[in-house]
Amino acid sequence: MTRKIDIFDTTLRDGEQSPGASMNTEEKIIIAQQLLRMHVDVIEAGFPISSPGDFLSVQQIGRIAGDDAVVVGLTRAVDADIDRAAEALATAKRPRIHTGLGVSPQHLREKLHISEDECVERAIHAVKYAKKYVEDVEFYAEDAGRADQKFLERVIQAAVDAGATVVNIPDTTGYQMPEDFGRRIKGIADNVRGIEDVVISVHTHNDLGMATALALAGVRNGARQVECTINGLGERAGNTSLEEVVMAIKMHGDELDAHTDVVTRELTRASRLVSRITGMQVQANKAIVGANAFAHSSGIHQDGVLKARDTYEIIDPADVGAGSSQIILSARSGHAALRHRLSELGYTFADADFDDIYHRFLEIADQKKEVYDEDLESIVQERQRDVTAIYTLNALQVSCGDPLIPTATATITDEHGVRHVVCATGTGPVDAAYKAVDMVVSAHGDLAEYVVKAITRGIDAIGEVIVRITGEDGHIYTGRGADTDVIVSSAKAYVNAINRMIQSQRDQAA
Ligand code: KIV
Ligand code: ZN
């Protein structure tokens, strides 16, 4: 059996320190419930002395967590902070006080104005003081990433001797390289007496985009707890992302000699929940939980994934609750992807028909970044409606504006293959286009109704136009047309209505 790595979630504390990500107690409880559903081991619920809201959050989350998770309150190495944290944690069945102070030269000199000896004394005092309240005390050596290694080991030794149950080695500024950070953790694991009975925790920040790599280097070298946040939320560039660490451990558990108890199917839900509550968007290409994490865009990749998912995916999206792989239909998609999606929508075509559909698909894809299911539906329906193509609109060019006179030039082919190029003016672009069509067609109708609607998503959506015309026989004929250009949709709809009218009149005469 591999080593169990505790997942310590600090979304509600360090994550909340993300500019703009503050949450109220009610929102924190909703997130805590999700963390419990995911079986995280430790929830850092807040910094009780910092505000009444944080105090309340720690108190309430302590209440709901029961035996299912350790609940943590953060403190500085200051008695009043520890008193307040202990008070807030009184509701928790498994309370932990997380206390500590800076240990790097920068922190000692510039922030705390204390010597190394004083730092050690304060660490010992804080741990012992917290131990008066709770058995489980985690000591953090802030900015351990930039501390002198010998001094870091000395402070950690002091914290362990004072009774710390967990020692947290943060790379507070995200400065380290993974190999060096790994050596730092190994130094502690090798040189601190009694460390085998204490959990080494790693808490890394993402300033160089390496937070996950740093945390894993820590795990590889003896850490048994990783501190992280949903979506990598946190100060500046954020913290280690929970979903990345959990999935990396899942994928490389044997070589890391590690596993976690996190229910990975809940990761996507957690990510969306945190994003919705904090208003912090997840970048589309974010590992594991980004909108594009399982989306395939290029024709080569799509073909590969359709043949066997693992040609281009190392994770089954269902394992992280992200549904199934997505094939993004765009101008880069090939026949295989289009055919696959159409068949999922219930359409199969003979090769010759499919070629036409693919051609129309490419025309739309050239105008839109992404072709959605609704676009495909409209391509198919447009094709099915055009069976009676007595007249076909080949091209339409319209100029209009203020003070231009709306003018339309249309190219229309009739059923005998004769191409007509006509030009007309009108009161507006649609009127000009309809007048141009009227110059070619052999039957006329009065426009009774004209409706335009967007049938696909996005600013570059396909607009569908439905027109009803009243024929000379008094009947109403409906026509539809769809295009990304609404004037073209209008002309197509009009030609379609006229085709239906002529076809119907011929059918009646036959
Ligand atoms: O980054 C850090 O060092 C911290 C500590 C308070 C644990 O967040
Ligand atoms: Zn931090």
Side-chain angles (χ1 to χ4, degrees):
M1 187 62 167
T2 52
R3 288 174 306 151
K4 158 77 189 301
I5 304 299
D6 286 345
I7 294 298
F8 174 120
D9 181 276
T10 182
T11 307
L12 305 177
R13 197 280 297 172
D14 215 338
E16 205 212 13
Q17 290 173 216
S18 267
S22 65
M23 301 165 240
N24 60 34
T25 302
E26 204 181 315
E27 292 167 332
K28 286 186 180 176
I29 288 172
I30 294 171
I31 293 176
Q33 280 162 338
Q34 175 63 20
L35 296 173
L36 292 170
R37 199 175 298 131
M38 284 165 67
H39 296 178
V40 306
D41 303 279
V42 186
I43 300 175
E44 188 164 49
F47 182 5
I49 202 161
S50 68
S51 72
D54 260 40
F55 181 89
L56 193 63
S57 301
V58 173
Q59 202 173 42
Q60 304 260 21
I61 292 168
R63 206 166 271 137
I64 64 165
D67 282 322
D68 294 339
V70 171
V71 176
V72 177
L74 183 78
T75 79
R76 291 165 296 181
V78 170
D79 291 358
D81 283 29
I82 295 171
D83 293 338
R84 191 80 175 133
E87 202 186 326
L89 285 167
T91 52
K93 279 204 165 162
R94 297 172 65 196
R96 178 184 294 173
I97 292 178
H98 189 192
T99 189
L101 76 170
V103 298
S104 65
Q106 291 86 341
H107 278 236
L108 297 188
R109 205 175 44 229
E110 317 294 346
K111 188 177 100 173
L112 301 168
H113 309 294
I114 55 173
S115 66
E116 290 189 346
D117 288 349
E118 284 170 304
C119 175
V120 171
E121 283 313 311
R122 283 180 62 174
I124 294 169
H125 175 79
V127 172
K128 286 192 171 159
Y129 192 76
K131 285 290 268 195
K132 290 201 303 185
Y133 289 114
V134 292
E135 168 50 30
D136 193 3
V137 174
E138 174 167 342
F139 174 76
Y140 65 85
E142 194 179 5
D143 205 15
R146 291 188 297 171
D148 170 74
Q149 177 72 16
K150 281 277 157 280
F151 178 62
L152 175 62
E153 288 172 18
R154 184 180 157 208
V155 183
I156 295 300
Q157 183 69 66
V160 169
D161 292 344
T165 46
V166 182
V167 287
N168 175 13
I169 315 302
D171 185 15
T172 304
T173 56
Y175 166 75
Q176 284 274 315
M177 296 293 278
E179 297 74 15
D180 297 333
F181 190 64
R183 270 193 290 277
R184 208 157 262 257
I185 301 303
K186 185 163 174 9
I188 290 166
D190 288 347
N191 300 327
V192 173
R193 289 178 313 282
I195 195 76
E196 54 289 352
D197 299 324
V198 172
V199 171
I200 301 178
S201 184
V202 282
H203 175 117
T204 52
H205 278 265
N206 205 31
D207 298 66
L208 291 174
M210 292 195 286
T212 299
L214 291 166
L216 294 173
V219 169
R220 200 184 277 278
N221 285 281
R224 282 196 288 132
Q225 175 177 282
V226 176
E227 306 195 3
C228 41
T229 60
I230 304 289
N231 298 337
L233 224 57
E235 282 276 356
R236 307 180 309 282
N239 286 60
T240 307
S241 125
L242 181 148
E243 54 279 0
E244 291 174 15
V245 163
V246 165
M247 289 313 291
I249 291 177
K250 184 164 180 172
M251 306 297 295
H252 294 278
D254 286 341
E255 74 187 83
L256 291 168
D257 180 26
H259 70 273
T260 76
D261 283 350
V262 170
V263 181
T264 61
R265 285 186 320 281
E266 291 292 330
L267 291 173
T268 301
R269 190 212 296 239
S271 164
R272 291 184 185 155
L273 180 72
V274 169
S275 174
R276 184 163 49 76
I277 286 180
T278 60
M280 302 281 287
Q281 296 291 321
V282 176
Q283 75 188 59
N285 58 330
K286 165 85 178 60
I288 319 295
V289 292
N292 291 349
F294 302 101
H296 305 273
S297 176
S298 91
I300 295 171
H301 285 219
Q302 292 178 342
D303 185 44
V305 167
L306 291 173
K307 284 177 177 145
R309 193 189 52 74
D310 65 2
T311 49
Y312 286 102
E313 271 180 8
I314 56 163
I315 295 169
D316 183 341
D319 281 353
V320 298
S324 52
S325 319
Q326 279 171 271
I327 298 292
I328 303 298
L329 291 177
S330 71
R332 290 176 301 285
S333 300
H335 286 72
L338 180 62
R339 210 183 259 288
H340 173 80
R341 188 67 201 136
L342 283 170
S343 88
E344 282 182 339
L345 294 173
Y347 300 113
T348 46
F349 295 95
D351 286 350
D353 292 340
F354 179 77
D355 285 347
D356 281 354
I357 297 230
Y358 185 68
H359 180 73
R360 178 71 185 124
F361 161 77
L362 284 184
E363 279 176 2
I364 291 180
D366 273 342
Q367 295 162 40
K368 299 191 72 191
K369 285 191 185 135
E370 189 177 334
V371 179
Y372 300 112
D373 288 351
E374 305 92 300
D375 298 304
L376 296 184
E377 297 276 6
S378 105
I379 293 173
V380 171
Q381 282 167 21
E382 194 186 333
R383 191 186 153 73
Q384 287 168 347
R385 283 181 210 123
D386 263 7
V387 186
T388 44
I390 297 165
Y391 294 100
T392 307
L393 180 74
N394 306 116
L396 180 71
Q397 193 185 337
V398 176
S399 57
C400 60
D402 187 9
L404 287 183
I405 296 171
T407 308
T409 306
T411 306
I412 296 168
T413 306
D414 67 25
E415 60 194 317
H416 308 294
V418 179
R419 271 163 77 87
H420 307 259
V421 181
V422 285
C423 186
T425 58
T427 52
V430 175
D431 186 50
Y434 283 20
K435 291 218 165 87
V437 173
D438 281 340
M439 291 168 77
V440 177
V441 297
S442 59
H444 298 279
D446 292 330
L447 191 61
E449 195 179 342
Y450 171 92
V451 178
V452 61
K453 60 177 182 177
I455 51 170
T456 61
R457 287 168 273 169
I459 192 147
D460 47 5
I462 289 191
E464 183 178 51
V465 172
I466 300 170
V467 295
R468 284 184 227 292
I469 57 171
T470 315
E472 282 155 3
D473 55 5
H475 285 114
I476 299 277
Y477 297 94
T478 303
R480 286 184 168 81
D483 199 277
T484 49
D485 182 325
V486 78
I487 309 296
V488 175
S489 306
S490 306
K492 279 185 179 175
Y494 188 53
V495 171
N496 183 237
I498 286 175
N499 282 339
R500 283 164 178 246
M501 181 171 72
I502 297 172
Q503 186 65 54
S504 160
Q505 288 166 355
R506 283 182 188 171
D507 289 349
Q508 281 168 29

